[in-house]
Amino acid sequence: MSKGKYGIHGGQYTPETLMNAIIEVEKAYEHYKNDLAFQAELTELLNDYAGRPSRLYFAKKMTADLGGAKVYLKREDLNHTGSHKINNVLGQALLAKKMGKTRLIAETGAGQHGVATATAAALMGFECEIFMGKEDTDRQALNVFRMRLLGAKVHVVTSGTMTLKDAVNETFREWTTRVDDTHYVLGSVMGPHPFPEMVRDFQSVISKEAREQILKKEGKLPDAVIACVGGGSNAIGAFYNFIPDASVRLIGCEAAGKGVDTALHAATIANGSLGIFHGMKSYFCQDEYGQIAPVYSISAGLDYPGIGPEHAYLHDTKRAEYVPITDDEAVAAFEYLSRTEGIIPAIESAHAIAYAMVLAPTMTKDQIIIVNVSGRGDKDVAAIARYKGEDIHE
Amino acid sequence: MSKHIIIEENKISQIFKNQKAFIGFLTAGDPCLSKTEEFILAMAEAGADLIEIGIPFSDPIAEGPVIEAANERALSVGTTTDKIFAMVARVREKTDIPLVFLTYMNPIFVYGVERFFAACEKVGINGAIIPDLPFEEKGEVLSIAHAHEVDVITLIAPTSQDRIQMLAKEATGFIYLVSSMGVTGVRSEIKTDLAAIIADIRQVTQTPVAVGFGIATPEQAATISQFADGVIVGSAIVRIIAEHGAASTEPLTAYVKSMKAALV
C-alpha cells in the first residue's frame, strides 16, 4: 500500500485530514507530468520568465588557484529570484492552477523558496501566505520584505526552534485547516509522496542541462558533481541525470555548523538516525526517544534536521557521498568565490564551494568537477558581516 | 476475521455499551508525571470512561497551540517514553479504566515498534492513536500492535469522503471522528455534518464512533452525543492543566463530572 518508496525510505506519513489533498496532488501530477501541453507551458515559463537554461561557467581563476581538477559552476544563482527554488515553484504553481487552486502556502528557511513562491503567486494570480521561523525572519530580513513586496503575507513562526522545521510544521497545520482552495508548495525533496518525486522532477532540469552542457564543452562527463544539502532539492536536481553515470561521483555537502562533534550542527547523514517525520521515513537528527533535535547552521536554508528520502537511499546504496562542512569553511568559501570569481554565492551554496576547494587540489588537471551554485549571496551579506564581527546596518 | 472479533470484544469497546462515553485527553508530564498520574485517577473517579495519554513529541503537527505548548512543557521537565510507561504501570495498580496512548510515529518507530507495543501490553495500555500514521502506512504497525492486544485507533476526517468506508471497515476499539478541519483546539461552533459521516460509517461497521477536536462545553457534548457514541475532549482539559498546574485535580474533577453528566 505504501507509495513513494526509495528503498526503505519515503512513504506517506500524513494525518488522515490531509490524505485526500495529497492524493489529489498525486493524481494531478501523475496526469500532468506526461501532458505535453503542460510540459511546454512549464518550459516556456522556465526559459522566458526564469531565464533558463542556467549557464555552466568554467571557473578559470578558481581552477588555476586550486591547481587540480577543472571547476565548472552551474549558475542557478542567475535564475530569476536568485536561486534554484524557482524551478520547483513554477512547476507546482502551474500544477496548482490546473487543479483549480487559488491560494498557495509555503514554508521557507532562508527565504529563497518563499520569495520564489510569492513571485509565482504574483505572476499567476494566487493568494499567497508564507511561513518562516522567527530566527530566520531575523537573519533574512531582506527576503521578508521582498515577499511582502510581491504581495505575500508572511507569518512569523514562534513555535519550537523557530526555524525551517517549525515553518514546515506550521504550513502543514495551515494546510489542514484549508485544503479546498489551497496548494502547499513544498520547497524541498521531502514530505509525503508525491512531493519528493515531484520536486525532484522539477529540479532535475539542473542536471539535464549540466550534462548536455559539459558534454558539449568538454566532450566527456564530469568526475564529480557537488551540491549543498539541507532537505536536498538543489542536490537531487544536480545529481539526478548523472545517477546512471557510475563514473560520476555525487557529493552532497551537509551543514556541520560549529562541527559534527558539537551539539550545534545540522548534519543529518553524519549524525542522524532512521526515523519518520514530516511525512517521510528517512534520516533525522534526533534523540533516543525520537524527539527531533534542535539543529544549527549559519545557513538558514540548510538548518533542517532531516534529509529527503531519495538522498537517504543514495546514501544507503553508496551511490552518493555526504560530507559535513562547518560554518567557518562555508564562510571562507563564500569570501573565496566572491574574490576569486566575482560571484557571491548563497551561504548554502558556499558549503558546496567549500568542498570543491578541498577536492579539486587532490584531482588531476584533466578531471572535472561541477559545483551547483544553487543561489546568490546578496541575502547573506549582512549576516556574513555580523559573523565577521562587522557592525553594518541593512 | 477472527482477530477482528477478538478486538471487538475488548476493553475499549466495552465502554460504549449502554451509554455514551466520555474520553479525556491529557499530555503525560504536564506539569510532571506524578501529577499526570494523579489527574488520570481523578478523571477516572469523576466519570471519564477512557483516558488518552499523550506521549509528548517535539513536533506535534496535528496539534493546535494549546496541546503543542503542553508537549513543550512536558519535554522541558525531562519526560520520556520510559518514564511514561513506568507512570502507567503505577496507574494500572489503582484503576482498570481503558487507557490509550496518543503519539506520533517517530517516538514509536525510534523506540522500536515491537518494543513499544510489548511495553504497552505489559503496563496495560489498550490502544494507540497515531495521527501521522494513515491507512496507507499502518501495515508496519498493525500486526505488531494487535499481537500485543493494542488497538490502533482509526481516525476519520471531514475530508475523508470516499475513504470513509475503507477506513471504517478495518477499525477496532473505536473510531476517532475528527469534528472539523484543522488541528486540535477549542472551537465555538462545529459545522461539519457529522451525522452524515456517522451514517456512512454505520453502513460498514458497528465499531463505536467518538467525536473529537474542538469540543469544550457540556452543551457541545450534549449535542454531539445525540448521534455519536462518545465525545473526546483534549484542549479544554489541557487548558485547565495549563492554568492550574499542580493544583488541577479539583477543577478537572468538576469539569469531567459536568461533561459526563451532559451526555445523553
Side-chain angles (χ1 to χ4, degrees):
Chain A
M1 291 295 280
S2 184
K3 283 180 281 193
K5 300 299 264 193
Y6 302 89
I8 60 168
H9 306 283
Q12 239 168 357
Y13 297 89
T14 307
E16 173 58 26
T17 325
L18 283 175
M19 278 309 291
N20 262 329
I22 280 168
I23 291 167
E24 188 189 356
V25 175
E26 187 186 324
K27 283 184 178 160
Y29 182 62
E30 282 302 314
H31 173 77
Y32 284 107
K33 77 175 180 189
N34 299 313
D35 182 285
L36 293 178
F38 177 86
Q39 291 299 339
E41 206 176 336
L42 178 57
T43 301
E44 191 179 324
L45 278 170
L46 289 172
N47 293 352
D48 296 348
Y49 186 70
R52 302 209 70 87
S54 72
R55 299 294 192 263
L56 184 70
Y57 166 73
F58 174 48
K60 202 173 166 183
K61 278 182 73 190
M62 186 176 168
T63 299
D65 181 62
L66 296 174
K70 291 174 91 168
V71 178
Y72 279 86
L73 305 177
K74 181 62 173 163
R75 300 291 308 277
E76 291 297 303
D77 58 314
L78 294 179
N79 295 340
H80 181 44
T81 72
S83 82
H84 72 291
K85 292 293 187 188
I86 195 79
N87 304 331
N88 166 46
V89 165
L90 288 174
Q92 286 199 47
L94 194 60
L95 186 71
K97 200 93 204 168
K98 303 287 179 201
M99 290 165 68
K101 304 291 177 185
T102 57
R103 179 169 172 262
L104 301 181
I105 56 173
E107 86 293 346
T108 197
Q112 293 303 96
H113 177 59
V115 166
T117 305
T119 298
L123 175 71
M124 298 188 205
F126 288 100
E127 244 185 280
C128 182
E129 294 183 33
I130 304 295
F131 295 80
M132 187 169 182
K134 192 180 177 303
E135 279 279 313
D136 298 334
T137 56
D138 288 347
R139 60 182 161 175
Q140 301 286 355
L142 198 61
N143 269 343
V144 175
F145 185 70
R146 196 172 279 152
M147 288 183 266
R148 290 192 177 127
L149 195 63
L150 291 159
K153 186 173 177 193
V154 180
H155 297 273
V156 180
V157 176
T158 55
S159 58
T161 55
M162 303 188 212
T163 58
L164 181 54
K165 151 184 93 80
D166 310 284
V168 173
N169 292 347
E170 280 311 313
T171 318
F172 269 118
R173 287 180 181 127
E174 173 62 25
W175 202 21
T176 309
T177 66
R178 196 168 154 187
V179 291
D180 285 353
D181 64 348
T182 301
H183 176 69
Y184 177 6
V185 185
L186 237 167
S188 194
V189 284
M190 45 158 290
H193 176 72
F195 286 103
E197 179 187 322
M198 178 169 71
V199 177
R200 177 255 278 157
D201 287 352
F202 288 140
Q203 291 296 359
S204 65
V205 66
I206 300 171
S207 53
K208 180 175 177 288
E209 289 173 5
R211 198 174 183 283
E212 287 165 8
Q213 288 164 326
I214 199 71
L215 286 174
K216 200 170 168 195
K217 283 176 192 282
E218 292 282 348
K220 62 176 184 177
L221 291 169
D223 296 277
V225 175
I226 305 177
C228 65
V229 183
S233 72
N234 94 81
I236 210 79
F239 294 172
Y240 188 64
N241 288 285
F242 292 109
I243 291 174
D245 302 316
S247 66
V248 181
R249 285 175 69 186
L250 306 174
I251 304 167
C253 302
E254 300 192 301
K258 304 286 185 196
V260 288
D261 49 354
T262 74
L264 297 172
H265 66 82
T268 310
I269 295 288
N271 278 5
S273 57
L274 194 61
I276 296 171
F277 181 51
H278 279 165
M280 58 185 174
K281 188 178 281 178
S282 188
Y283 295 110
F284 298 94
C285 296
Q286 58 186 338
D287 73 9
E288 60 178 309
Y289 289 106
Q291 306 295 345
I292 303 300
V295 290
Y296 163 82
S297 164
I298 188 173
S299 146
L302 304 183
D303 199 352
Y304 181 72
I307 188 167
E310 193 165 6
H311 283 295
Y313 176 68
L314 291 174
H315 168 71
D316 287 355
T317 57
K318 299 187 166 41
R319 178 61 192 95
E321 310 153 53
Y322 296 85
V323 296
I325 299 292
T326 64
D327 283 0
D328 284 349
E329 291 170 305
V331 169
F334 181 88
E335 294 180 305
Y336 177 83
L337 195 68
S338 301
R339 287 187 191 160
T340 311
E341 292 288 347
I343 296 170
I344 303 175
I347 189 65
E348 289 77 17
S349 320
H351 286 70
I353 300 292
Y355 195 67
M357 292 165 65
V358 174
L359 186 64
T362 70
M363 295 167 68
T364 60
K365 291 187 178 183
D366 61 342
Q367 290 186 300
I368 299 165
I369 295 173
I370 295 177
V371 186
N372 197 35
V373 184
S374 56
R376 68 177 180 225
D378 310 44
K379 67 179 176 60
D380 300 308
V381 170
I384 300 300
R386 283 194 294 273
Y387 184 82
K388 296 184 68 69
E390 285 184 38
D391 182 27
I392 68 160
H393 301 279
E394 284 185 52
Chain B
M1 276 318 279
S2 64
K3 181 135 275 173
H4 187 66
I5 291 160
I6 292 164
I7 298 272
E8 261 189 358
E9 287 171 356
N10 73 4
K11 208 165 167 175
I12 291 178
S13 48
Q14 294 296 322
I15 67 164
F16 298 94
K17 271 194 178 161
N18 308 317
Q19 65 152 2
K20 303 289 182 174
F22 178 77
I23 298 173
F25 167 90
L26 44 58
T27 301
D30 173 31
C32 64
L33 280 171
S34 62
K35 283 292 161 187
T36 302
E37 182 181 343
E38 184 181 319
F39 298 162
I40 292 170
L41 294 170
M43 284 163 65
E45 183 74 14
D49 299 295
L50 183 151
I51 309 282
E52 286 178 15
I53 302 167
I55 298 177
F57 180 46
S58 53
D59 297 82
I61 62 160
E63 309 297 351
V66 172
I67 295 178
E68 187 187 12
N71 278 261
E72 284 178 15
R73 286 194 297 273
L75 290 173
S76 73
V77 297
T79 306
T80 67
T81 310
D82 282 321
K83 291 178 186 169
I84 293 168
F85 278 126
M87 182 272 293
V88 172
R90 293 195 298 274
V91 167
R92 263 287 166 256
E93 289 169 9
K94 295 166 191 148
T95 176
D96 63 354
I97 187 173
L99 298 172
V100 168
F101 274 147
L102 187 150
T103 194
Y104 289 77
M105 208 32 221
N106 205 47
I108 297 174
F109 180 78
V110 172
Y111 196 83
V113 177
E114 168 62 34
R115 182 178 165 221
F116 182 86
F117 285 105
C120 285
E121 183 178 21
K122 194 172 167 219
V123 300
I125 286 287
N126 310 100
I129 302 169
I130 312 167
D132 59 347
L133 184 75
F135 183 85
E136 281 75 359
E137 301 292 350
K138 69 178 180 176
E140 67 188 286
V141 169
L142 211 58
S143 57
I144 296 172
H146 285 178
H148 292 288
E149 289 178 36
V150 177
D151 282 326
V152 176
I153 304 302
T154 295
L155 288 124
I156 292 181
T159 43
S160 295
Q161 298 163 355
D162 53 339
R163 297 166 55 83
I164 291 173
Q165 298 198 343
M166 168 183 87
L167 303 174
K169 256 181 217 168
E170 297 189 13
T172 59
F174 71 93
I175 288 169
Y176 189 135
L177 176 56
V178 175
S179 70
S180 43
M181 294 307 292
V183 292
T184 53
V186 172
R187 285 169 178 78
S188 55
E189 202 183 343
I190 290 166
K191 288 178 182 159
T192 311
D193 188 357
L194 298 170
I197 298 176
I198 292 173
D200 251 16
I201 294 170
R202 287 278 180 264
Q203 287 181 10
V204 294
T205 182
Q206 288 310 307
T207 303
V209 180
V211 174
F213 276 43
I215 301 169
T217 66
E219 292 73 28
Q220 287 172 321
T223 309
I224 300 282
S225 67
Q226 285 167 19
F227 48 84
D229 302 307
V231 300
I232 306 166
V233 173
S235 294
I237 288 172
V238 172
R239 212 152 65 173
I240 291 171
I241 296 170
E243 192 183 329
H244 299 274
S248 298
T249 302
E250 252 180 64
L252 278 177
T253 300
Y255 178 74
V256 171
K257 278 183 177 167
S258 72
M259 292 296 281
K260 178 68 183 173
L263 302 182
V264 293

